[in-house]
Amino acid sequence: MKQIRYGLELVFFRTYVAGLDGIVTLEMKSAGANALSEIHMNVTNLLTVPEVTLATGDVNYEGNVFVIGNVGSEAEIYATGDILVGGFVEAAHLLAGGDIMIRQGMNASGEGEIRAAGNVNGCFFEATKIYAEGDIQGDYFMNCDLYAQGRTYVLGKKGSLAGGTACAEQGLRVNILGNQAGLATYIRLGVSERLHKQELELHEQMRSIHAELDTLTRAYEDYARKYPPQIRNSMELFAKVQSAIYTKEKELEECENEK
């Protein structure tokens, strides 16, 4: 707490530090008829807005975003957490570090895009590009470009996927695929270019770790030949070699598990 004197008046300043990034709200609570009211300060990582349009401006928020109404064309929402839209989404761009849920669906007219580090869920999607590191789920997809690192589910009673492209690394479950008009619908399942690239990077990383382990093992064996245990075990450099071998073996084990 700081104090500053202005003339004869002493003014106190207090600094508050929050444990998370978010919005600060003040709430006045009455403590009774003869008592002073209490002021409560709250910090929340949820941003709630009525709607997002070109008129309201874009949203860029460190946390979760809840749009009560609609999201208009050319609007953009960026959130490090989840994005929940209670209304309808037009040709907008939504990017989330978590999940994205659209309650009333989205028609992007081939211009809008959704990208989520988690799952994407909505009632219906038309002419929308969707990329999810998790799963994609909806009742109806028409002329969309879908890419899920997990699975894609189209499981409504009349759930259908028609037109566009659907790529899912772990599988697809759909009630109706394509339509009677013969709309071209492309499906690609299983190993993707992303996984091929990741596998090549892992091979290169493992090759590098093996080479480092060979060098460290030769150094260890050299110490073992030159010095008896009671001497080498007290040597700082020998201890570092042992520690490095353990670390590299753990790295190699992690790479094997990921592969």
Side-chain angles (χ1 to χ4, degrees):
M1 180 183 293
K2 296 181 180 180
Q3 60 181 36
I4 301 175
R5 185 178 296 277
Y6 291 98
L8 298 177
E9 184 179 356
L10 191 63
V11 181
F12 291 89
F13 293 89
R14 187 184 299 272
T15 301
Y16 296 90
V17 179
L20 54 84
D21 293 330
I23 296 175
V24 179
T25 59
L26 298 178
E27 182 181 5
M28 186 79 72
K29 290 188 176 181
S30 176
N34 299 322
L36 295 174
S37 297
E38 296 180 350
I39 299 176
H40 290 257
M41 181 181 296
N42 301 305
V43 180
T44 176
N45 66 342
L46 172 64
L47 173 64
T48 302
V49 294
E51 62 179 5
V52 180
T53 64
L54 288 178
T56 64
D58 299 333
V59 173
N60 191 331
Y61 187 64
E62 293 279 342
N64 305 309
V65 174
F66 173 37
V67 183
I68 299 173
N70 301 326
V71 178
S73 293
E74 299 184 39
E76 297 181 353
I77 300 177
Y78 300 95
T80 57
D82 300 335
I83 296 176
L84 171 61
V85 180
F88 178 79
V89 179
E90 297 178 350
H93 293 263
L94 278 59
L95 175 64
D99 298 336
I100 294 178
M101 177 179 287
I102 302 174
R103 286 180 175 169
Q104 294 187 19
M106 178 173 180
N107 187 337
S109 301
E111 301 293 333
E113 183 181 45
I114 293 177
R115 286 184 172 267
N119 302 318
V120 174
N121 192 303
C123 181
F124 72 88
F125 297 91
E126 293 186 12
T128 304
K129 297 183 179 74
I130 302 176
Y131 182 97
E133 294 183 22
D135 298 334
I136 297 175
Q137 183 168 340
D139 294 337
Y140 173 82
F141 294 90
M142 173 68 75
N143 289 326
C144 293
D145 288 330
L146 312 177
Y147 186 97
Q149 291 187 21
R151 290 180 170 86
T152 295
Y153 298 93
V154 192
L155 299 178
K157 290 183 179 180
K158 297 182 179 179
S160 68
L161 191 159
T165 303
C167 303
E169 293 181 3
Q170 297 183 28
L172 168 70
R173 293 185 63 187
V174 56
N175 284 342
I176 303 173
L177 182 59
N179 62 8
Q180 292 181 348
L183 185 63
T185 306
Y186 299 91
I187 304 298
R188 189 176 71 195
L189 305 176
V191 177
S192 64
E193 294 177 5
R194 182 190 69 85
L195 288 177
H196 276 304
K197 181 180 179 182
Q198 189 175 356
E199 184 182 19
L200 291 174
E201 290 173 350
L202 276 171
H203 276 300
E204 181 60 26
Q205 185 178 353
M206 291 168 67
R207 187 196 63 78
S208 176
I209 293 173
H210 276 298
E212 294 174 2
L213 267 175
D214 288 342
T215 300
L216 290 167
T217 302
R218 286 195 297 270
Y220 179 91
E221 293 172 348
D222 190 46
Y223 275 104
R225 285 193 302 270
K226 291 181 179 178
Y227 306 100
Q230 63 271 23
I231 294 179
R232 67 172 181 261
N233 289 338
S234 63
M235 300 173 68
E236 182 179 355
L237 193 56
F238 180 72
K240 289 183 177 180
V241 169
Q242 282 185 307
S243 177
I245 289 175
Y246 174 79
T247 300
K248 292 301 175 183
E249 286 177 343
K250 292 298 291 184
E251 289 180 8
L252 189 60
E253 182 181 350
E254 291 172 0
C255 287
E256 288 285 358
N257 291 334
E258 186 174 357
K259 179 185 171 184

